[in-house]
Amino acid sequence: MTQPASTMSGNQPLAGLRIVAVEQYGAGPFGTQQLADLGAEVIKIENHKDGGDIGRHVGPYFFGPGDSHFYESLNRNKRSLGLDLKSLEGRAVLEKLVAESDVVFNNLRGDLPVKLGLDYAALSKANPAIACVHLSAYGRTGSRAAWPGYDYLMQAEAGYLSLTGEPGTPPSRFGLSIVDFMTGTTAALAILAGVVSARASGVGRDLDVSLFDVALGNLNYVAEWYLNGGVKVERTARSSHPSLTPSQLYTTADGWIFVMCNKEKFWQTLTVLIERPEWAEDPRYATFADRLANRPAFNADLDAVLATRTTAAWMERFAGRVPAAPVLDVAQALDNPYLAEADRILDFQHPEHGPLPGIASSIRAGGATHPTVAAPTLGQDTDDILAKLGYAAAEVADLRDRAVIR
């Protein structure tokens, strides 16, 4: 099914980019959704014999059979082709599609792309300029190529759990599937890099992204400190920055506020707004080094001041002058009136369920209104895609009768 004209702008930044995605579950679909939001045509290849993308069946919340809230959150603005890739006829359909595409993307276990013929060595025969992007748990080479892997495992092994939570408590993971999301976004970058390279040279290539590598790479400056200075970062109380103060949670009269004076100028401003200007010259608190050396006493003093007003009162006073944020739960975060200022929650149109509210694209492209089509049903676009590949109606019907397509 083509996207309704009312939900598409003619000025999409990625219009004309076609991505064939053998994807399922979280990280892969999250990455390609970023590109679909920007106008790329993302064609999901789904094994209809196994019920399609496993994300369709991830509960506990569903709009209907094979249509979970989880699935809808990761697959908007895409198309679905129900196809048995393991059959000869299904392989023929894939190769015809590859010949007219820019990218083949998958997020399979590392040993599977070669077995399924989804790498450049196999697909370059159909299209020498095809970029083949692989998202796996541990990469396609090495001793772990055949290992399955998931977000929380990466958080555990890459050290994230040792850095999250309060000191003295059990290791804690992020509240979100942050490694999945970071890896999906990195895969989107790999897709675009592959396309730029292929369009310049006429020759495609394989590009690899793994959950493990992205989790490791995001240790960033923490890794730099250890690798070059032997510094081992550990958890700090109230989610405080390892070296900057104040940069953590503080108590207010009715809850919590996160204050981040990560530049000295913000500290100078804060002292005035909390009516303690003398602290700016206090030898215990005057500089980052002073405040870090005296952090327990400093935090006790700042807590006492901030506890005299509500979080809302402090936010009104700090707004735009001191970096600060209220601590909200998820419901409060999504009901925040600030989201309405720039349409950060949009309705994605579903043919059966009507408008489904979801979070807008994080990228705002000037002159374009991003598409707002809900995730496709399994095989929703099969007929249209095959017709455009040159299959006659009788051929499509025959393939469907033999369960090659849905």
Side-chain angles (χ1 to χ4, degrees):
M1 179 184 295
T2 57
Q3 295 177 346
S6 61
T7 63
M8 284 290 291
S9 164
N11 193 25
Q12 292 298 314
L14 296 181
L17 176 66
R18 174 178 276 181
I19 301 165
V20 177
V22 184
E23 61 178 22
Q24 61 176 344
Y25 208 55
F30 181 81
T32 56
Q33 180 169 269
Q34 312 309 305
L35 306 178
D37 283 348
L38 296 173
E41 181 186 13
V42 177
I43 299 176
K44 289 177 66 70
I45 303 293
E46 301 193 66
N47 184 351
H48 54 286
K49 294 181 177 179
D50 289 339
D53 184 338
I54 193 174
R56 295 179 178 278
H57 312 288
V58 173
Y61 308 109
F62 294 89
F63 293 107
D67 189 11
S68 71
H69 289 203
F70 180 88
Y71 168 75
E72 289 287 344
S73 74
L74 296 163
N75 292 284
R76 65 192 183 210
N77 297 320
K78 299 181 185 180
R79 311 183 79 198
S80 173
L81 169 60
L83 184 65
D84 177 9
L85 284 178
K86 295 182 179 179
S87 68
L88 292 176
E89 298 91 341
R91 180 70 189 188
V93 170
L94 175 68
E95 290 179 357
K96 285 188 177 183
L97 188 56
V98 169
E100 299 183 10
S101 300
D102 299 286
V103 180
V104 172
F105 169 75
N106 74 83
N107 68 323
L108 302 173
R109 202 178 65 207
D111 60 326
L112 292 179
V114 168
K115 293 179 180 178
L116 291 174
L118 297 176
D119 60 340
Y120 184 73
L123 294 179
S124 59
K125 299 168 187 175
N127 183 353
I130 196 73
C132 298
V133 180
H134 314 278
L135 189 165
S136 60
Y138 299 98
R140 293 186 301 126
T141 60
S143 62
R144 296 189 183 185
W147 285 26
Y150 296 98
D151 183 300
Y152 300 170
L153 304 180
M154 308 305 157
Q155 291 192 41
E157 191 168 4
Y160 289 29
L161 273 68
S162 73
L163 301 175
T164 308
E166 289 294 305
T169 62
S172 301
R173 65 169 176 84
F174 276 68
L176 301 171
S177 298
I178 195 67
V179 175
D180 275 349
F181 298 147
M182 290 189 298
T183 307
T185 301
T186 304
L189 174 61
I191 287 171
L192 296 180
V195 171
V196 169
S197 174
R199 288 184 175 178
S201 66
V203 179
R205 68 176 76 195
D206 290 300
L207 296 98
D208 283 272
V209 174
S210 76
L211 297 174
F212 185 82
D213 285 352
V214 171
L216 192 67
N218 278 278
L219 290 179
N220 198 265
Y221 64 84
V222 171
E224 195 78 7
W225 290 345
Y226 176 75
L227 294 172
N228 292 278
V231 176
K232 181 181 177 182
V233 175
E234 297 180 349
R235 285 179 285 178
T236 52
R238 292 194 190 175
S239 301
S240 61
H241 190 280
S243 60
L244 302 180
T245 303
S247 188
Q248 66 171 69
L249 285 166
Y250 291 95
T251 56
T252 65
D254 64 346
W256 297 91
I257 191 170
F258 210 116
V259 177
M260 295 188 73
C261 293
N262 285 20
K263 294 182 178 180
E264 288 288 11
K265 69 175 184 178
F266 295 131
W267 164 241
Q268 300 291 325
T269 302
L270 179 65
T271 63
V272 174
L273 295 178
I274 63 173
E275 300 174 359
R276 297 296 188 277
E278 68 277 10
W279 285 5
E281 305 299 328
D282 188 321
R284 299 172 302 156
Y285 302 156
T287 68
F288 278 129
D290 297 331
R291 294 190 295 276
L292 182 62
N294 296 285
R295 182 180 265 177
F298 172 84
N299 284 341
D301 284 347
L302 187 53
D303 259 344
V305 173
L306 295 177
T308 62
R309 289 183 171 88
T310 65
T311 298
W314 285 120
M315 285 302 302
E316 183 176 0
R317 180 168 289 206
F318 293 160
R321 302 177 67 185
V322 171
V327 178
L328 307 179
D329 62 28
V330 173
Q332 291 170 325
L334 293 174
D335 291 337
N336 187 341
Y338 178 62
L339 274 62
E341 286 187 16
D343 297 323
R344 286 172 168 85
I345 302 294
L346 299 177
D347 286 333
F348 293 87
Q349 304 303 318
H350 193 284
E352 296 177 9
H353 312 304
L356 304 180
I359 298 174
S361 171
S362 302
I363 299 174
R364 293 162 185 264
T369 301
H370 297 327
T372 52
V373 179
T377 57
L378 177 54
Q380 173 177 300
D381 304 285
T382 298
D383 287 10
D384 183 60
I385 292 169
L386 265 61
K388 289 177 179 176
L389 290 176
Y391 285 85
E395 293 176 292
V396 173
D398 179 61
L399 290 174
R400 184 165 283 118
D401 288 342
R402 291 187 286 134
V404 175
I405 62 171
R406 171 169 171 170

